[in-house]
């Protein structure tokens, strides 16, 4: 089983700042099948990134993903008020599918 | 547009079973995997398994083998997830999600809260 470790656990930033979230895998993620999801309280996860770097439908270009192998990053170039939420990475290249524990992005 | 609409909230006693349904629309139901993911209160996301709607083939996470059953009725584009021998720590929101090999879980249901309490 691939264990995903996200850091930091909580990130405190202000609107307009740049956010960098990390996801490290315990072994290489097959074919970079790494996704990022955003979740707000009381809502289902919202897909942001798939294949490590491709934006899902309707996702603004301030969201970008990068990385390969075992190290992946989600970057939000300029934070908007609606971006403050919890973010999860997920690998779907091998079974079982696994999620990171999440990074909470909060307003400073 | 793609929609996954889940059944309503459930309250169950310990030892009982629960069956959650997920009705798909806006796409070819048999063309995509259907995953189940749960989230305990205040916790992260936990993948439970998937079903291939075309064939009914399933793949369960090891933790859930023997007490989860995923089924589908392709004629009405609906998938079901049944969890048996419920315990209090099975209290969670249960999500269904459409899975695509390259896109990951690209569409999610609204979630179904299952509360296990005596």
């Amino acid at each position: 089983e691939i264990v995903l470790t996200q850091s930091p656990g909580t990130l405190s930033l202000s609107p307009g700042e740049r956010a960098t979230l990390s996801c490290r895998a315990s072994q290489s993620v097959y074919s970079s099948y790494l996704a990022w999801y955003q979740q707000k309280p009381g809502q289902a996860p919202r897909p942001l990134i798939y294949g490590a770097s491709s934006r899902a439908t309707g996702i603004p270009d301030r969201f970008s993903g990068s990385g390969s192998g075992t190290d992946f990053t989600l970057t939000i170039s300029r934070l908007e008020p609606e971006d403050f939420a919890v973010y999860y990475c997920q690998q779907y290249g091998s079974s079982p599918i696994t999620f990171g524990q999440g990074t909470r992005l909060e307003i400073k | 547009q793609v929609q996954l609409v889940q059944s309503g909230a459930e309250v169950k006693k310990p030892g009982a079973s629960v069956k959650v349904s997920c009705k798909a629309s806006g796409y070819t139901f048999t063309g995509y995997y259907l995953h189940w993911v749960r989230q305990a209160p205040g916790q992260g996301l936990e993948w439970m398994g998937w079903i291939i709607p075309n064939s009914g083939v399933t793949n369960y996470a090891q933790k859930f083998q023997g007490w989860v059953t995923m089924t589908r009725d392709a004629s009405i584009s609906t998938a079901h997830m049944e969890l048996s021998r419920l315990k209090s720590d099975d209290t969670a929101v249960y999500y269904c999600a459409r899975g695509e090999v390259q896109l990951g879980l690209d569409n999610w249901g609204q979630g179904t809260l299952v509360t296990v309490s005596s």
Side-chain angles (χ1 to χ4, degrees):
Chain A
E1 171 175 327
I2 296 178
V3 176
L4 300 178
T5 302
Q6 293 186 237
S7 60
T10 302
L11 186 56
S12 299
L13 294 170
S14 300
E17 292 193 293
R18 180 186 186 91
T20 302
L21 287 66
S22 174
C23 177
R24 178 162 291 179
S26 61
Q27 54 189 283
S28 186
V29 175
Y30 175 78
S31 201
S32 292
Y33 283 160
L34 191 287
W36 291 91
Y37 301 88
Q38 176 194 69
Q39 189 178 34
K40 297 179 180 178
Q43 297 184 15
R46 174 194 184 196
L48 298 175
I49 300 289
Y50 65 90
S53 60
S54 297
R55 275 188 298 277
T57 303
I59 300 303
D61 61 6
R62 64 179 182 274
F63 291 90
S64 63
S66 62
S68 63
T70 61
D71 288 295
F72 299 88
T73 301
L74 174 70
T75 302
I76 311 171
S77 58
R78 294 172 310 279
L79 286 166
E80 297 286 344
E82 62 267 27
D83 298 337
F84 293 90
V86 178
Y87 291 83
Y88 294 95
C89 61
Q90 174 216 30
Q91 70 79 24
Y92 53 99
S94 59
S95 188
I97 288 172
T98 50
F99 290 89
Q101 82 280 16
T103 289
R104 179 177 304 277
L105 178 56
E106 64 177 26
I107 299 177
K108 188 173 181 179
Chain B
Q1 75 283 19
V2 175
Q3 274 198 304
L4 297 170
V5 178
Q6 299 183 222
S7 50
E10 303 263 13
V11 179
K12 296 292 182 180
K13 293 193 180 303
S17 297
V18 69
K19 191 170 187 177
V20 179
S21 65
C22 172
K23 182 168 177 60
S25 62
Y27 72 98
T28 302
F29 179 64
T30 52
Y32 296 81
Y33 287 47
L34 199 294
H35 295 250
W36 291 90
V37 175
R38 75 176 185 179
Q39 186 171 40
Q43 302 301 308
L45 301 167
E46 181 176 32
W47 179 76
M48 300 177 69
W50 51 247
I51 184 168
I52 301 176
N54 194 34
S55 62
V57 170
T58 55
N59 177 28
Y60 303 144
Q62 187 171 15
K63 171 179 179 176
F64 296 98
Q65 287 180 5
W67 58 299
V68 70
T69 304
M70 297 177 188
T71 57
R72 93 288 186 220
D73 184 342
S75 68
I76 56 171
S77 299
T78 299
H80 305 278
M81 185 283 300
E82 184 170 19
L83 197 60
S84 61
R85 306 191 301 277
L86 291 167
K87 306 181 294 291
S88 58
D89 58 4
D90 294 317
T91 294
V93 176
Y94 290 77
Y95 294 101
C96 63
R98 188 180 83 163
E100 200 279 344
V101 171
Q102 296 189 359
L103 303 183
L105 276 55
D106 66 346
N107 282 274
W108 292 63
Q110 83 276 19
T112 296
L113 174 62
V114 175
T115 303
V116 183
S117 174
S118 55

